[in-house]
Amino acid sequence: MKTLLRSTLSRRSFLGRVSAGAVALAGAPAILRAQGAKPRKLGVAIVGLGNYARGQIGPALKLTENCELTAVVTGSPEKGRKWAQDYGFSEKSVYGYDRIADLADNKAVDIVYVITPNSMHADGVIAAAKAGKHVISEKPFTTNVADAVKAIAACKAAKVKLSIGYRLHFDPIHQEFMRLAKDPSFGPFTKMNGEFSFVMKNKVWRAERKYAGGGPVMDLGVYVMQEACMAAGGVAPIAITAKAAETTKPEIFADVEQTMNFTLEFPGGAVCEAVTSYSQSANRFRAESASGNWVEFKTNAYMYTGVGAVSNRGPLTFPPVNQQAKQMDDFATCIREGRESRVSGEMGLRDMKIIEAIYEAARTGKKVALRA
Ligand code: NAD
């Protein structure tokens, strides 16, 4: 199985590379094609220089083939200057949060990557779109459906592309999982369960509704629902039930849930039982088919590196990749080729609908039908 999975992926990625390269060249100016020159890298401006930007997205940009960091938007000019020195762009390209509109005049910026606290994503996306830039929003896309709809509309009106930082779609093990889910000789999966939880020891913005929009459902549960949709062949659930567990640390979780249990029902009868919490640790997902095939991510299901999965036919083993570099390179290719990202704004909107349905189901105690 190991060899089978590996050879299938390498054949598929080889074909993908050839066709993507051919299309990119087809769209390039004739002079570039004649010289066999590489198209220029697309410039990225990061909005919000916190942990994820510093630890993952900045370093990943150095590994991309199609992107480079050319500007930052930050509340700290000093931090911005340090980024300019480290990444080799002009200190004039350090902006404050109130100056996102000025990016319109910066020709070195093609893409704005919004990595601020959740409740600021929608404003960041809308401001970037109005500045005429393509946009990546971190997850969760927004903190409610209405903002997601507005952010998508702003990108459409400005004719810019939008994608969400759903990095797992660029991890080869998750890609193989998605392929198996659609392979009739293996799937379809009918029974799934998963959890993404960690222990939050102190009150931070992630536990404040005004910044986070909710608790672990917004931050971590979104990964479990993403994985469930992958297992269901890429479709959205049609009904949701949910129950919040008792809050045992009210000093931290004053206005957001501490733990949420939720069940997603998919068309055709597949069901995913999910948990997300800020008071225990878990990083797992399991999917089973009616014919007895299964895939299990026992630990490290949602990690940046070291994702591990086993199936009844053997381990899913692939050479490691930098998920974020692949994600950004793919978005740059989408922009060049004029196609939509596989992790689109619409996918982000789908997940915001799931999140709102989870909260409604938990509040009312009733099963909530999900509207498409
Ligand atoms: P963080 O707290 O480390 O960084 C947030 C940044 O936003 C900081 O630079 C902070 O100064 C800035 N900021 C601007 N206005 C702020 C305000 N009013 N309050 C607080 N901070 C403000 O957070 P992070 O871990 O970098 O997360 C940022 C976003 O990235 C979140 O939406 C999170 O869900 C997402 N994220 C995604 C992944 C992933 O794997 N895709 C991983 C981590 C975080």
Side-chain angles (χ1 to χ4, degrees), residues 47-54 56 74-75 79 97 113-118 120-121 138-140 165-167 205-206 211 218-219 223 302 304 324 327:
V47 181
L49 303 179
N51 288 326
Y52 192 56
R54 189 181 57 248
Q56 304 302 325
T74 173
K79 206 196 264 188
Y97 287 107
Y113 198 148
V114 180
I115 322 184
T116 46
N118 308 346
M120 300 170 66
H121 291 178
E138 254 319 314
K139 45 61 56 177
Y166 287 143
R167 58 186 165 75
W205 68 256
R206 281 182 164 79
Y211 296 120
M218 287 276 174
D219 188 24
Y223 286 94
Y302 315 103
Y304 307 142
Q324 291 87 348
Q327 171 208 319

Side-chain angles (χ1 to χ4, degrees), residues 37-54:
K38 279 189 173 177
R40 91 172 162 86
K41 291 185 168 196
L42 299 192
V44 176
I46 294 182
V47 181
L49 303 179
N51 288 326
Y52 192 56
R54 189 181 57 248

